């Protein structure tokens, strides 16, 4: 038998049965829920008269539309009555079905992809799904994790399974060492530029190579998080000491003899030497500099020392058209150095870059510096209440506030602007989130994706700039 | 789920690659707890010249008359022609609900994003993948003299405008759509197998089933 990839192994360990129609019934170990994509699923479950299959598999928290101010007021602090109803309905559904929830006022509340790993509810080898495309984040733990739609949320609630076809295997090998000031975010943006926004469609990605091994768990989460921006539903990293050390001691992690048994299993979650990948892409990590997206697709990426391209730069007709639309929407002229673009708002946070190391990296740049006058707002939004508490214990909040940043409460915030945190028409942001689509951060807003250190540098300079010159 | 067997309808050409689900239905409409009410806000930022919000009367909004779906000739379109990687980005199933409620029964493109593909399948929106050249030909027809297509799912054929092509679809997808089957019900036929698997899985990996007090 040919060797197996990590993805193959997890798949094999969760395949329940063939459904008889070409689909495999795949068992789901962990199901994460939030307020936006779950109400219709719970309603469907009730309408069909079905029961929740396994209560303890589920963990819920409101994150997408919660405000990032005045959180002590709880649900009453949500001004938007429609958003409020969603949070009320999540509370009601969790109570009705006995699902564990970190409610708005709980210090453990946060972005669903931050709290899973933080709590140890994300464990190696698990199948993990959530009605959110950035569920790929959890793949950092050698878990098979991907986003699902609301019908599939209902399917998991009712059956603890998904009906699936197996994906193909893709390996992205990043060898060498990242330079100082260059992070996992820069690495993943460079990967998406290379692979393209649909390049990994139909594939489960395994990130490997010395540059990936050298990343912390938080860096690996940033990397896996944006797999979907390359078209891959799932992205993962094999288990090593870094994985095991991170998980040990977390509230949901096993202890004692069960831990030993679990660890022994987790250590098998590496791809066999003779495993076959359908696609392979190799990058030299040492060649990656700080990255900035310039357009309205995450594949439209530049190094900080590059210039906005002209449409004729692209050979492919549809790429040329995409580029022309992006130039117009972003109000850019070909040949403009990306470093010359002024920034109106800065957003540090999201499931991509809302963890403690992200705030440390930004604070290192901000320490002793001020946000530039032309920047109308700079926001730091911790990914969870516990990230916020940790940052405050380290005094990072003081650094952010002294620099002129707003220090907010946890949530998805301006990544998708479902709450009050947003760009206004024509404004340009430096954002540590994951999508630069038209209107993503606010109607007619213009988003440039960067790392936390690069966002901090842009806040200080008032325009994009090479953070390496500030370290 | 509403079965999909055969459909004849006018094709509207949406000539953009990488149409993401944020464009199909913008975030402000995701605050709804219902499955309906999204059709008026399909492609909201492209269809209208003002900023959309939940609960507006579409008749009181400023229309972008240049947007393809607002052209009178495509007013009755029920088949959407799209470019590569349609439906990329967010997993929001609201995108599929919006397309269906607007009146689309079928989307034809060279490729679709994975999560959107699954979501469409679960709701009876037929997605047809055709080669670039075939899609380009259909675009030319739809943008030119106009194109009415007939999709016949049992025979997997697409005809109209001088085109008569067979398309591929996985047998299980076809059966689900043609028979309008309840996907959850199909899986629950295997409830005994799931229970047996779960017991074995629990014995082998008890840590998955433990939870803190």
């Amino acid at each position: 038998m040919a060797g197996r990839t990590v993805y193959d192994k997890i798949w094999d360990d969760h395949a329940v049965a063939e459904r008889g129609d070409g689909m495999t019934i795949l068992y789901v170990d962990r199901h994460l829920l939030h307020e936006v994509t779950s109400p219709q699923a719970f309603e469907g479950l009730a309408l069909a008269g079905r029961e929740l299959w396994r209560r303890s598999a589920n963990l819920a928290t409101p994150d997408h539309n919660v405000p990032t101010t005045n959180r002590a007021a709880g649900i009453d602090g949500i001004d938007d009555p429609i958003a409020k109803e969603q949070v009320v309905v999540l509370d009601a559904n969790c109570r009705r079905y006995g699902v564990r929830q970190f409610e708005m006022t709980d210090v453990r509340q946060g972005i669903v992809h931050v709290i899973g790993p933080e709590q140890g509810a994300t464990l190696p080898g698990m199948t993990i799904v959530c009605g959110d495309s950035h569920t790929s984040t959890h793949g950092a733990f050698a878990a098979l994790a991907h986003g699902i739609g609301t019908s599939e949320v209902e399917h998991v609630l009712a059956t603890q399974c998904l009906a699936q076809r197996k994906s193909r295997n893709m390996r992205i090998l990043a060898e060498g060492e990242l330079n100082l000031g260059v992070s996992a975010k820069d690495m993943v943006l460079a990967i998406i530029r290379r692979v393209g926004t649909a390049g990994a469609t139909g594939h489960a990605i395994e990130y490997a190579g010395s540059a990936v091994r050298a990343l912390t768990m938080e860096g690996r989460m940033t990397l896996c998080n944006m797999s979907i921006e390359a078209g891959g539903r799932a992205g993962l990293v094999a288990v090593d000491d870094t994985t095991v050390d991170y998980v040990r001691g977390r509230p949901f992690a096993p202890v004692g003899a069960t831990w030993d048994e679990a660890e022994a299993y987790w250590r098998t979650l590496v791809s066999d030497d003779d495993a076959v990948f359908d696609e392979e892409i190799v990058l030299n990590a040492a060649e990656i500099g700080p990255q900035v997206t310039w357009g309205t697709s995450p594949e439209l990426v530049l190094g900080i020392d590059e210039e906005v391209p002209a449409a004729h730069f692209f050979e492919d007709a549809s790429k040329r058209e995409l580029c022309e639309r992006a130039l117009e929407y972003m109000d850019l002229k070909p040949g403009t150095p990306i470093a010359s673009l002024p920034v109106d708002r800065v957003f540090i946070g999201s499931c991509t870059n809302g963890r403690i190391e992200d705030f440390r990296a930004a604070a290192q740049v901000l320490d002793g510096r001020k946000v530039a006058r032309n920047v109308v707002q700079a926001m730091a939004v911790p990914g969870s209440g516990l990230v916020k508490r940790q940052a405050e214990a380290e005094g990072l909040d003081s650094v952010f506030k002294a620099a002129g940043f707003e220090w907010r409460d946890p949530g998805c915030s301006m990544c998708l602007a479902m709450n009050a945190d947003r760009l206004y028409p024509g404004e340009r942001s430096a954002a540590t989130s994951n999508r630069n689509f038209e209107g993503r951060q606010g109607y007619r807003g213009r988003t440039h994706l960067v790392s936390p250190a690069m966002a901090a540098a842009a806040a200080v300079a008032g325009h994009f700039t090479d953070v390496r010159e500030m370290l | 789920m509403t079965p999909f067997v055969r459909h004849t309808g006018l094709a509207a050409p949406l000539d953009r690659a990488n149409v993401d689900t944020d464009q199909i239905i913008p975030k402000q409409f995701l605050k709804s707890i219902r499955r309906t009410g999204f059709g008026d806000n399909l492609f909201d930022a492209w269809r209208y010249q003002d900023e959309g919000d939940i609960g507006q009367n579409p008749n009181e909004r400023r229309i972008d008359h240049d947007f393809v779906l607002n052209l009178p000739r495509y007013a009755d379109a029920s088949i959407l022609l799209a470019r590569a990687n349609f439906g990329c980005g967010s997993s929001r199933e609201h995108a599929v609900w919006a397309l269906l409620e607007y009146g689309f029964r079928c989307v034809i493109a060279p490729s679709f994003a994975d999560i959107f593909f699954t979501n469409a399948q679960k709701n009876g929106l037929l997605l047809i993948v055709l080669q670039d050249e075939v899609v380009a030909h259909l675009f030319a027809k739809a943008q030119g003299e106009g194109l009415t297509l007939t999709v016949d799912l049992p025979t997997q054929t697409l005809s109209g405008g001088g085109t008569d092509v067979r398309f591929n679809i996985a047998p299980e997808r076809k059966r689900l759509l043609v028979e309008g089957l309840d996907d959850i019900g199909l899986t629950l036929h295997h409830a005994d197998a799931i229970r047996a698997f779960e017991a074995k899985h629990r014995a082998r990996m008890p840590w998955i089933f433990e939870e803190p007090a």
Side-chain angles (χ1 to χ4, degrees):
Chain A
M1 196 170 93
R4 294 184 300 161
T5 65
V6 178
Y7 170 65
D8 296 336
K9 292 179 184 184
I10 301 174
W11 176 276
D12 291 348
D13 280 342
H14 291 83
V16 172
E18 297 304 315
R19 202 166 71 169
D21 61 356
M23 306 290 268
T24 301
I25 297 176
L26 196 72
Y27 189 80
V28 172
D29 294 326
R30 176 73 64 209
H31 187 202
L32 302 166
L33 295 147
H34 62 84
E35 76 279 24
V36 174
T37 57
S38 68
Q40 297 90 346
F42 277 112
E43 184 190 49
L45 189 73
L47 285 174
R50 291 178 173 134
E51 296 298 317
L52 181 62
W53 184 281
R54 181 163 69 85
R55 184 198 50 78
S56 68
N58 300 282
L59 179 62
T61 200
D63 57 1
H64 278 60
N65 69 28
V66 297
T68 55
T69 52
N70 190 25
R71 284 288 277 284
I75 288 176
D76 292 336
I78 308 178
D79 292 333
D80 180 343
I82 304 168
K84 184 192 254 177
E85 186 184 18
Q86 261 187 347
V87 177
V88 168
V89 167
L90 179 66
D91 282 356
N93 284 326
C94 289
R95 272 197 305 275
R96 172 173 177 181
Y97 290 99
V99 167
R100 181 185 293 253
Q101 188 198 181
F102 299 147
E103 295 182 4
M104 263 183 80
T105 49
D106 192 313
V107 72
R108 296 167 297 178
Q109 178 273 343
I111 305 172
V112 69
H113 310 309
V114 174
I115 68 165
E118 194 171 72
Q119 292 294 322
T122 298
L123 293 173
M126 274 184 165
T127 44
I128 302 175
V129 297
C130 173
D132 187 281
S133 61
H134 291 109
T135 308
S136 56
T137 310
H138 309 265
F141 293 80
L144 172 53
H146 62 78
I148 56 178
T150 297
S151 292
E152 288 190 306
V153 170
E154 184 182 337
H155 196 287
V156 174
L157 292 173
T159 71
Q160 208 51 50
C161 294
L162 283 176
Q164 290 220 302
R165 280 193 159 219
K166 202 174 169 196
S167 301
R168 283 173 291 173
N169 282 286
M170 172 187 270
R171 180 161 60 177
I172 297 180
L173 272 173
E175 299 287 1
E177 255 181 76
L178 283 177
N179 289 301
L180 182 72
V182 180
S183 69
K185 181 62 165 287
D186 302 297
M187 194 195 287
V188 75
L189 288 174
I191 287 170
I192 298 163
R193 179 181 187 171
R194 169 88 170 273
V195 176
T197 188
T201 302
H203 293 81
I205 304 171
E206 179 172 343
Y207 299 97
S210 56
V212 175
R213 296 258 72 87
L215 292 175
T216 63
M217 285 314 293
E218 295 195 1
R220 295 177 190 182
M221 284 187 246
T222 301
L223 189 61
C224 291
N225 172 276
M226 289 189 72
S227 300
I228 187 69
E229 268 62 64
R233 279 220 291 190
L236 53 80
V237 176
V239 167
D240 62 7
D241 290 343
T242 305
T243 325
V244 173
D245 291 345
Y246 183 96
V247 172
R248 190 179 283 115
R250 296 194 179 262
F252 282 67
V255 293
T258 316
W259 168 273
D260 297 337
E261 214 183 321
E263 185 185 338
Y265 170 69
W266 295 340
R267 297 274 183 189
T268 67
L269 298 173
V270 294
S271 290
D272 297 332
D273 291 338
D274 57 344
V276 178
F277 290 88
D278 303 285
E279 297 275 346
E280 183 155 278
I281 285 166
V282 184
L283 290 97
N284 181 352
E287 288 174 2
I288 300 170
Q291 308 282 303
V292 185
T293 68
W294 67 267
T296 52
S297 166
E299 70 181 19
L300 300 177
V301 179
L302 294 170
I304 184 61
D305 54 351
E306 292 183 89
E307 294 167 357
V308 174
H312 62 74
F313 180 80
F314 295 94
E315 284 174 22
D316 180 73
S318 72
K319 282 265 162 71
R320 273 201 302 277
E321 199 219 300
L322 185 74
C323 178
E324 273 165 19
R325 263 195 75 80
L327 286 169
E328 189 190 336
Y329 182 86
M330 298 296 286
D331 190 29
L332 292 173
K333 293 200 169 47
T336 309
I338 194 81
S340 71
L341 295 182
V343 168
D344 301 302
R345 290 181 201 263
V346 176
F347 169 63
I348 300 180
S350 85
C351 60
T352 312
N353 282 123
R355 299 180 182 81
I356 190 66
E357 291 171 14
D358 299 315
F359 294 98
R360 285 179 192 146
Q364 194 190 343
V365 176
L366 294 174
D367 196 8
R369 296 188 171 108
K370 294 273 184 207
V371 171
R373 267 196 212 143
N374 64 296
V375 175
V376 297
Q377 185 184 36
M379 279 173 35
V381 186
S384 73
L386 291 174
V387 169
K388 186 178 189 214
R389 182 195 271 176
Q390 174 69 26
E392 288 171 357
E394 296 178 19
L396 303 182
D397 58 322
S398 307
V399 175
F400 277 96
K401 286 188 260 189
F405 265 75
E406 296 171 26
W407 182 248
R408 295 292 192 99
D409 288 314
C412 298
S413 182
M414 210 169 87
C415 172
L416 85 168
M418 275 193 77
N419 68 359
D421 311 339
R422 64 182 60 195
L423 288 182
Y424 289 86
E427 287 184 338
R428 207 177 278 293
S429 74
T432 66
S433 44
N434 42 55
R435 288 190 175 132
N436 52 1
F437 298 151
E438 290 181 23
R440 170 77 178 182
Q441 292 192 287
Y443 185 64
R444 293 188 183 165
R446 298 174 178 133
T447 300
H448 296 269
L449 304 174
V450 288
S451 72
M454 282 290 285
V460 168
H463 55 85
F464 294 101
T465 189
D466 193 333
V467 68
R468 292 175 294 188
E469 289 161 15
M470 296 171 78
L471 294 175
Chain B
M1 187 174 82
T2 316
F4 189 112
V5 182
R6 188 184 165 91
H7 177 77
T8 298
L10 183 70
L14 182 65
D15 196 3
R16 297 177 191 191
N18 297 330
V19 172
D20 58 77
T21 54
D22 273 80
Q23 306 316 313
I24 300 174
I25 185 82
K27 87 296 252 58
Q28 61 269 37
F29 305 105
L30 272 50
K31 289 184 283 195
S32 167
I33 58 167
R34 284 167 276 280
R35 274 176 191 264
T36 54
F38 301 106
D40 287 337
N41 303 108
L42 175 74
F43 300 120
D44 197 86
W46 293 345
R47 264 167 82 189
Y48 304 98
Q49 291 183 316
D50 53 357
E51 183 175 0
D53 204 354
I54 211 160
Q56 286 165 316
N57 179 351
N59 300 321
E60 291 170 5
R61 299 185 61 190
R62 279 184 292 133
I63 304 289
D64 183 340
H65 293 285
D66 294 333
F67 181 59
V68 65
L69 296 185
N70 289 332
L71 300 178
R73 58 181 300 205
Y74 300 120
D76 297 323
S78 60
I79 296 174
L80 186 66
L81 294 179
R83 298 294 189 186
N85 197 31
F86 187 83
C88 62
S90 158
S91 62
R92 59 189 71 171
E93 197 160 311
H94 314 64
V96 172
W97 301 335
L99 284 161
L100 283 167
E101 199 173 329
Y102 179 89
F104 287 116
R105 295 295 323 276
C106 171
V107 187
I108 300 170
S111 60
F112 294 94
D114 285 344
I115 302 177
F116 177 80
F117 192 83
T118 305
N119 289 343
Q121 172 71 26
K122 304 283 183 192
N123 289 276
L125 177 68
L126 176 64
L127 303 186
I128 298 178
V129 179
L130 293 173
Q131 287 179 318
D132 278 330
E133 311 85 80
V134 183
V135 174
H137 172 75
L138 296 176
F139 260 91
K141 287 274 181 191
Q143 288 165 333
E145 67 264 37
L147 178 66
T148 296
L149 289 168
T150 295
V151 183
D152 189 77
L153 187 50
T155 59
Q156 297 175 223
T157 52
L158 181 71
S159 54
T163 306
D164 198 352
V165 291
R166 196 177 147 77
F167 58 88
N168 290 320
I169 181 167
E172 75 276 8
R173 285 186 54 222
K174 177 171 159 179
R175 183 173 151 240
L176 275 168
L177 287 165
V178 171
E179 298 182 25
L181 295 174
D182 168 17
D183 195 45
I184 295 175
L186 281 183
T187 298
L188 284 175
H189 284 158
H190 299 268
D192 289 343
I194 298 170
R195 270 189 281 273
F197 174 88
E198 197 168 47
K200 200 179 63 175
H201 197 49
R202 189 189 293 266
R204 189 177 167 214
M205 302 186 197
W207 57 87
I208 288 168
F209 297 81
E210 289 173 359
E211 49 178 342

